[in-house]
Amino acid sequence: MKNIALLGSTGSVGRNVLEIVRQFPKQFRIKALSSNKNTDLLLDQVAEFKPESVAIGASEEYLTVKKSLGSTVKVYEGTDGMCRLASEKDIDVVFLAVSGTIALPPLIEAIKNGKIIALASKEPIVSAGSYVMPLLAASKARLLPVDSEHSAVMSCIGQRKHSDIETIYLTGSGGSLWHRKENGFLNVTVDEVLSHPKWNMGKKITVDSATLMNKGLEVIEARWLFDITPGSIKVLIHPEAVIHSIVEFKDGTSLANLFMPDMRFPILTALAYPDIYKSDLPKVDLYKIKNLSFFEADRKHFPALELAYEALEKGGTLPAVLNSSNEAAVKLFLSGKINFDKIVGTVEKIMRKHQIVYKPSLKDIMEAESWASGEVLSTCLQP
């Protein structure tokens, strides 16, 4: 029985984690839950899974949750509360399903406490990989990626050494706008962008899928997770979304990992690791697959990829600026304050203004993120 602290339990990934836990009640137990603001759903989850402790991110909701739960459950507040959950002694797996770099402090706490960490939040590694990975290497913690692409890469590598890898191909469906011409981006609506052809995901990641920024962030994450040079990480557009990554080895052989486009697969892989559990999840029917197609990702058509590679090559605080400015610009798009075609252009403007700090401390990284998000607001919302 693995005791799990699920941080971000009310989001799309968190809800899928709980669905897996329901299917394997003898293998997994929820010991702690956290949410930002969705108190109604959080309280429903507490009633069902009966955790010993919870954390609520929004201070105005803290008293509501504490009053509702009384003395039956320990209630903590904010980022400090998530860190508290990530460090509790009886927790075996810290599952980070929190969106954005708010996941960074509990990630660091889980590493320091030697936890198994199932990481569904790519932003902490994107922004702070140069800080997090040495910390991880010096600890007893184990980091298991939950992004479908990186989970697939991990499965393909298996027991082989990272030095055996020639190329990692990260696949992507192309998102909701793959077939649009560049001039067709001008008047794209939020609903059009959020109509993903294959995946049912949160809003932010769905927008990133449409710009291909999501693939760019995954390239940066793969560099740190698998200790591989940027030039050895490539992006393939794979509209069928059945193959989730391909790893080519130095001997010329390649391994691909296939599963249906459903986040429950990488979630189960991380929770069960190193074991494999028999599940009732829908399997790939090889007899019904008519075509598996691949296309090179055009960086001119989707410049977010170019910006991500640039941030990775230059390093320092630039990946943090890329990540934070994109997050802020996406929020503005989703709230109707800027057009879709302004997202990536805004990110590029902020990157060009940034004075890179090389070999940054954690403080440098957090300050760069804060600066970038502020610059987006002042750039996009100035009269």
Side-chain angles (χ1 to χ4, degrees), residues 188-202:
V188 175
T189 67
V190 171
D191 287 343
E192 287 176 305
V193 173
L194 295 181
S195 298
H196 198 284
K198 292 293 181 180
W199 290 93
N200 181 18
M201 307 179 292

Side-chain angles (χ1 to χ4, degrees), residues 79-269:
T79 302
D80 289 343
M82 288 196 296
C83 290
R84 180 72 177 265
L85 300 186
S87 63
E88 289 188 346
K89 289 184 179 180
D90 58 351
I91 295 297
D92 301 308
V93 179
V94 176
F95 200 111
L96 279 167
V98 179
S99 178
T101 46
I102 192 173
L104 185 55
L107 170 61
I108 292 172
E109 198 65 30
I111 291 173
K112 289 179 178 178
N113 284 272
K115 303 297 186 182
I116 297 172
I117 305 159
L119 184 64
S121 311
K122 62 174 64 64
E123 292 87 357
I125 303 300
V126 171
S127 290
S130 61
Y131 178 88
V132 169
M133 298 312 288
L135 191 68
L136 180 68
S139 76
K140 295 181 180 180
R142 177 66 191 256
L143 184 62
L144 303 172
V146 180
D147 249 353
S148 62
E149 294 78 11
H150 302 98
S151 175
V153 170
M154 181 180 70
S155 295
C156 289
I157 294 173
Q159 299 302 313
R160 300 194 191 198
K161 301 187 295 292
H162 289 180
S163 58
D164 294 334
I165 300 171
E166 183 74 18
T167 306
I168 290 176
Y169 292 95
L170 301 175
T171 62
S173 68
S176 54
L177 305 179
W178 173 248
H179 293 295
R180 287 209 181 209
K181 295 181 179 179
E182 191 170 354
N183 58 11
F185 292 164
L186 295 176
N187 298 309
V188 175
T189 67
V190 171
D191 287 343
E192 287 176 305
V193 173
L194 295 181
S195 298
H196 198 284
K198 292 293 181 180
W199 290 93
N200 181 18
M201 307 179 292
K203 291 182 179 181
K204 193 265 183 183
I205 192 173
T206 305
V207 176
D208 285 349
S209 178
T211 63
L212 289 198
M213 181 63 81
N214 196 43
K215 293 296 116 182
L217 298 179
E218 288 170 6
V219 167
I220 298 173
E221 188 180 10
R223 178 266 176 273
W224 293 111
L225 290 177
F226 305 111
D227 191 22
I228 188 169
T229 60
S232 296
I233 308 169
K234 298 181 180 179
V235 174
L236 280 177
I237 302 303
H238 171 51
E240 294 82 10
V242 173
I243 294 177
H244 296 275
S245 280
I246 302 169
V247 179
E248 180 185 55
F249 297 95
K250 289 182 177 178
D251 62 2
T253 61
S254 296
L255 291 177
N257 191 242
L258 286 72
F259 52 88
M260 296 299 288
D262 187 325
M263 279 303 299
R264 292 174 297 175
F265 284 101
I267 288 169
L268 179 57
T269 297

Side-chain angles (χ1 to χ4, degrees), residues 300-377:
K300 291 183 179 179
H301 194 47
F302 293 93
L305 267 180
E306 192 69 48
L307 293 179
Y309 275 100
E310 178 185 341
L312 182 54
E313 292 283 0
K314 292 182 178 178
T317 50
L318 196 57
V321 168
L322 169 87
N323 177 60
S324 182
S325 57
N326 175 68
E327 187 174 348
V330 169
K331 284 182 180 179
L332 292 179
F333 166 68
L334 288 171
S335 62
K337 294 184 171 71
I338 64 172
N339 291 334
F340 175 81
D341 64 305
K342 298 298 182 183
I343 296 174
V344 177
T346 299
V347 174
E348 182 176 11
K349 286 180 183 178
I350 305 308
M351 287 176 63
R352 299 288 174 259
K353 293 175 68 174
H354 181 59
Q355 297 295 317
I356 301 173
V357 177
Y358 296 99
K359 296 182 179 180
S361 64
L362 184 59
K363 180 182 178 182
D364 292 329
I365 292 167
M366 300 304 289
E367 287 179 350
E369 285 221 331
S370 179
W371 172 84
S373 60
E375 285 294 310
V376 169
L377 294 178

Side-chain angles (χ1 to χ4, degrees), residues 51-72:
E52 295 178 359
S53 52
V54 301
I56 185 74
S59 57
E60 62 269 22
E61 308 291 347
Y62 169 74
L63 292 177
T64 301
V65 173
K66 192 169 180 62
K67 182 178 179 181
S68 297
L69 297 178
S71 59
T72 59

